[in-house]
Amino acid sequence: MIVADSAIPDVSGLSLGILGGTGDQGKGLARRFALAGHKVLIGSRNAERAQQAAESIGHGVAGGENAAVATESDIVIIAVPWDGHKATLESLREQLAGKIVVDCVNPLGFDKRGSYALPVEEGSAAEQAAAVLTDSRVVAAFHHVSAVILLDPEVPEIDLDVFVLGDDREATDTVQALASRIPGMRGIYGGRLRNAHQIEALTANLISVNRRYKSHAGIRVTDV
């Protein structure tokens, strides 16, 4: 049974900035949110590279340098590689102050046995973001969405639930509503930000599923 939550806000008019939007995950999210009717900006350290990525997506997506995109967007999604995560956030404290910042970064390592979760001093990538961005409203979400599926024009709906974690109820409600703007997708509250580690780490398990079954696995939550 799916229960509608009347408290979920209308987010249809919000603009989105995606930092790290030149990677497949960022481009995929940009494409889906643009198709859902949002103004979407892709950010990169290199404005020209961001503009090229935006042109490859189409649907009105624009690109620019990270600081400009962070300033101009209502909500900012962090989709940068883990090794550049902290430095990127530290450079954008001022631009991200007061904003909802959605962290979807998975700290993972890879070796001959496959993928595995990396230890993070703060506990998780999302908690690292909260520690750096003390004036922002940090939410963890979109960790388990396949970039391949996001980018595939033959897939009209994304059949999965997105865990949304955070300590600010208004912010998590907003991100749940944002996730639900993508057809087939639902945003599901998954707990406080301190629980983000296991959500990020679960990505390693999904990668193993995908390799074994030649799939692009997602997660559904039952009885909600």
Side-chain angles (χ1 to χ4, degrees), residues 158-176:
I158 309 286
D159 182 24
L160 58 78
D161 291 329
V162 170
F163 285 110
V164 179
L165 299 92
D167 299 327
D168 181 322
R169 177 62 184 270
E170 184 181 20
T172 56
D173 283 352
T174 298
V175 178
Q176 282 182 254

mmCIF file of all heavy atoms in Angstrom, residues 158-176:
data_model
loop_
_atom_site.group_PDB
_atom_site.id
_atom_site.type_symbol
_atom_site.label_atom_id
_atom_site.label_comp_id
_atom_site.label_asym_id
_atom_site.label_seq_id
_atom_site.Cartn_x
_atom_site.Cartn_y
_atom_site.Cartn_z
ATOM 1 N N ILE A 158 11.723 5.574 -13.635
ATOM 2 C CA ILE A 158 12.794 5.001 -12.806
ATOM 3 C C ILE A 158 12.147 4.229 -11.662
ATOM 4 O O ILE A 158 11.545 4.825 -10.760
ATOM 5 C CB ILE A 158 13.708 6.095 -12.233
ATOM 6 C CG1 ILE A 158 14.185 7.039 -13.321
ATOM 7 C CG2 ILE A 158 14.884 5.461 -11.492
ATOM 8 C CD1 ILE A 158 15.220 6.483 -14.238
ATOM 9 N N ASP A 159 12.252 2.924 -11.690
ATOM 10 C CA ASP A 159 11.533 2.063 -10.743
ATOM 11 C C ASP A 159 12.357 1.851 -9.472
ATOM 12 O O ASP A 159 12.998 0.816 -9.296
ATOM 13 C CB ASP A 159 11.216 0.718 -11.407
ATOM 14 C CG ASP A 159 10.423 -0.203 -10.506
ATOM 15 O OD1 ASP A 159 9.734 0.304 -9.592
ATOM 16 O OD2 ASP A 159 10.497 -1.428 -10.700
ATOM 17 N N LEU A 160 12.339 2.846 -8.588
ATOM 18 C CA LEU A 160 13.059 2.685 -7.318
ATOM 19 C C LEU A 160 12.629 3.741 -6.313
ATOM 20 O O LEU A 160 11.968 4.722 -6.650
ATOM 21 C CB LEU A 160 14.574 2.754 -7.520
ATOM 22 C CG LEU A 160 15.215 3.991 -8.156
ATOM 23 C CD1 LEU A 160 15.325 5.142 -7.169
ATOM 24 C CD2 LEU A 160 16.612 3.651 -8.658
ATOM 25 N N ASP A 161 13.013 3.510 -5.061
ATOM 26 C CA ASP A 161 12.836 4.473 -3.977
ATOM 27 C C ASP A 161 14.186 5.082 -3.628
ATOM 28 O O ASP A 161 15.227 4.417 -3.709
ATOM 29 C CB ASP A 161 12.248 3.797 -2.740
ATOM 30 C CG ASP A 161 10.806 3.355 -2.944
ATOM 31 O OD1 ASP A 161 10.093 4.020 -3.720
ATOM 32 O OD2 ASP A 161 10.395 2.350 -2.326
ATOM 33 N N VAL A 162 14.148 6.338 -3.219
ATOM 34 C CA VAL A 162 15.354 7.053 -2.821
ATOM 35 C C VAL A 162 15.294 7.307 -1.318
ATOM 36 O O VAL A 162 14.347 7.934 -0.825
ATOM 37 C CB VAL A 162 15.451 8.401 -3.574
ATOM 38 C CG1 VAL A 162 16.563 9.270 -2.997
ATOM 39 C CG2 VAL A 162 15.686 8.164 -5.054
ATOM 40 N N PHE A 163 16.273 6.809 -0.588
ATOM 41 C CA PHE A 163 16.368 7.109 0.836
ATOM 42 C C PHE A 163 16.823 8.556 1.009
ATOM 43 O O PHE A 163 17.822 8.983 0.416
ATOM 44 C CB PHE A 163 17.362 6.186 1.526
ATOM 45 C CG PHE A 163 16.858 4.783 1.741
ATOM 46 C CD1 PHE A 163 17.383 3.723 1.026
ATOM 47 C CD2 PHE A 163 15.845 4.532 2.664
ATOM 48 C CE1 PHE A 163 16.916 2.428 1.220
ATOM 49 C CE2 PHE A 163 15.369 3.241 2.867
ATOM 50 C CZ PHE A 163 15.913 2.189 2.132
ATOM 51 N N VAL A 164 16.091 9.289 1.849
ATOM 52 C CA VAL A 164 16.412 10.690 2.128
ATOM 53 C C VAL A 164 16.682 10.822 3.618
ATOM 54 O O VAL A 164 15.823 10.500 4.440
ATOM 55 C CB VAL A 164 15.239 11.604 1.714
ATOM 56 C CG1 VAL A 164 15.559 13.059 2.031
ATOM 57 C CG2 VAL A 164 14.918 11.433 0.225
ATOM 58 N N LEU A 165 17.877 11.297 3.966
ATOM 59 C CA LEU A 165 18.284 11.376 5.367
ATOM 60 C C LEU A 165 18.705 12.799 5.721
ATOM 61 O O LEU A 165 19.322 13.494 4.901
ATOM 62 C CB LEU A 165 19.453 10.430 5.653
ATOM 63 C CG LEU A 165 19.199 8.950 5.420
ATOM 64 C CD1 LEU A 165 19.587 8.550 4.001
ATOM 65 C CD2 LEU A 165 19.982 8.108 6.430
ATOM 66 N N GLY A 166 18.375 13.206 6.943
ATOM 67 C CA GLY A 166 18.784 14.532 7.382
ATOM 68 C C GLY A 166 18.215 14.863 8.743
ATOM 69 O O GLY A 166 17.338 14.167 9.265
ATOM 70 N N ASP A 167 18.698 15.953 9.306
ATOM 71 C CA ASP A 167 18.285 16.385 10.641
ATOM 72 C C ASP A 167 17.296 17.544 10.601
ATOM 73 O O ASP A 167 16.818 17.984 11.646
ATOM 74 C CB ASP A 167 19.520 16.792 11.456
ATOM 75 C CG ASP A 167 20.498 15.643 11.645
ATOM 76 O OD1 ASP A 167 20.036 14.482 11.748
ATOM 77 O OD2 ASP A 167 21.716 15.885 11.682
ATOM 78 N N ASP A 168 16.987 18.047 9.408
ATOM 79 C CA ASP A 168 16.079 19.169 9.209
ATOM 80 C C ASP A 168 14.849 18.630 8.483
ATOM 81 O O ASP A 168 14.910 18.300 7.310
ATOM 82 C CB ASP A 168 16.797 20.238 8.378
ATOM 83 C CG ASP A 168 15.964 21.476 8.106
ATOM 84 O OD1 ASP A 168 14.744 21.343 7.873
ATOM 85 O OD2 ASP A 168 16.540 22.577 8.091
ATOM 86 N N ARG A 169 13.727 18.524 9.196
ATOM 87 C CA ARG A 169 12.535 17.880 8.641
ATOM 88 C C ARG A 169 12.019 18.611 7.403
ATOM 89 O O ARG A 169 11.620 17.981 6.419
ATOM 90 C CB ARG A 169 11.431 17.800 9.710
ATOM 91 C CG ARG A 169 10.117 17.217 9.226
ATOM 92 C CD ARG A 169 10.251 15.776 8.748
ATOM 93 N NE ARG A 169 9.008 15.275 8.217
ATOM 94 C CZ ARG A 169 8.066 14.652 8.947
ATOM 95 N NH1 ARG A 169 8.239 14.478 10.243
ATOM 96 N NH2 ARG A 169 6.967 14.204 8.382
ATOM 97 N N GLU A 170 12.022 19.931 7.429
ATOM 98 C CA GLU A 170 11.560 20.674 6.262
ATOM 99 C C GLU A 170 12.446 20.384 5.051
ATOM 100 O O GLU A 170 11.950 20.229 3.927
ATOM 101 C CB GLU A 170 11.562 22.175 6.557
ATOM 102 C CG GLU A 170 11.011 23.010 5.417
ATOM 103 C CD GLU A 170 11.028 24.488 5.709
ATOM 104 O OE1 GLU A 170 11.788 24.921 6.607
ATOM 105 O OE2 GLU A 170 10.285 25.233 5.027
ATOM 106 N N ALA A 171 13.749 20.282 5.285
ATOM 107 C CA ALA A 171 14.678 20.004 4.179
ATOM 108 C C ALA A 171 14.487 18.596 3.633
ATOM 109 O O ALA A 171 14.484 18.390 2.416
ATOM 110 C CB ALA A 171 16.123 20.201 4.652
ATOM 111 N N THR A 172 14.308 17.600 4.516
ATOM 112 C CA THR A 172 14.108 16.238 4.016
ATOM 113 C C THR A 172 12.765 16.105 3.299
ATOM 114 O O THR A 172 12.664 15.401 2.289
ATOM 115 C CB THR A 172 14.214 15.185 5.135
ATOM 116 O OG1 THR A 172 13.279 15.478 6.182
ATOM 117 C CG2 THR A 172 15.620 15.137 5.718
ATOM 118 N N ASP A 173 11.739 16.796 3.784
ATOM 119 C CA ASP A 173 10.450 16.792 3.074
ATOM 120 C C ASP A 173 10.618 17.357 1.668
ATOM 121 O O ASP A 173 10.047 16.836 0.691
ATOM 122 C CB ASP A 173 9.423 17.629 3.831
ATOM 123 C CG ASP A 173 8.844 16.917 5.042
ATOM 124 O OD1 ASP A 173 9.124 15.716 5.226
ATOM 125 O OD2 ASP A 173 8.101 17.576 5.804
ATOM 126 N N THR A 174 11.390 18.420 1.552
ATOM 127 C CA THR A 174 11.611 19.051 0.255
ATOM 128 C C THR A 174 12.330 18.109 -0.696
ATOM 129 O O THR A 174 11.964 17.980 -1.873
ATOM 130 C CB THR A 174 12.421 20.350 0.423
ATOM 131 O OG1 THR A 174 11.674 21.269 1.227
ATOM 132 C CG2 THR A 174 12.737 20.994 -0.923
ATOM 133 N N VAL A 175 13.341 17.407 -0.201
ATOM 134 C CA VAL A 175 14.110 16.503 -1.060
ATOM 135 C C VAL A 175 13.295 15.261 -1.398
ATOM 136 O O VAL A 175 13.400 14.724 -2.506
ATOM 137 C CB VAL A 175 15.462 16.150 -0.410
ATOM 138 C CG1 VAL A 175 16.240 15.166 -1.270
ATOM 139 C CG2 VAL A 175 16.292 17.423 -0.203
ATOM 140 N N GLN A 176 12.467 14.782 -0.465
ATOM 141 C CA GLN A 176 11.554 13.688 -0.808
ATOM 142 C C GLN A 176 10.645 14.091 -1.962
ATOM 143 O O GLN A 176 10.439 13.320 -2.908
ATOM 144 C CB GLN A 176 10.685 13.329 0.406
ATOM 145 C CG GLN A 176 11.375 12.498 1.460
ATOM 146 C CD GLN A 176 10.409 12.174 2.590
ATOM 147 O OE1 GLN A 176 10.496 12.738 3.666
ATOM 148 N NE2 GLN A 176 9.475 11.281 2.317
#
